Amino acid sequence: MQRLPTWPVAAGSLLLGFAVADLTGVRPLGGIVLFLGALWCGLRWRRQQGLAVAILIVLAYLAAFALSHPLGRAIGSWPAVFVVSAVVGLIAWARADREAPPGTGVSPAASR
């Protein structure tokens, strides 16, 4: 049985966190979703890739969250959240979930 990749959880938790905060009007509820998503992903990344890589990907997640605010003023809240979610998903996929091309013998996700 294959494990759930981290990229949909990382990207999805940014989207869901914003949706919860936006729809309920309670920003801390959205923050809980973001925290839980980052925690789950961070623990998986640490187990798969090591502490240094996990910290770097979590920092990218947090930076994307922070950057979504000024970006939201420029292009709108939902478009900004979609952009940063896509970027975080791509980073997580490229660094933690992607399988290496055949014949390379190296895979970012090889230590699962």
Side-chain angles (χ1 to χ4, degrees), residues 41-59 95-96 107-112:
C41 289
L43 292 172
R44 281 279 306 273
W45 294 327
R46 184 182 61 110
R47 190 170 59 243
Q48 290 175 222
Q49 306 295 323
L51 183 59
V53 171
I55 289 171
L56 289 174
I57 303 174
V58 169
L59 287 175
R95 188 57 189 98
S107 172
S111 61
R112 283 187 205 170

Side-chain angles (χ1 to χ4, degrees), residues 4-27:
L4 176 68
T6 61
W7 73 263
V9 176
S13 63
L14 285 164
L15 288 167
L16 184 60
F18 178 72
V20 167
D22 190 41
L23 295 173
T24 66
V26 182
R27 293 174 63 133

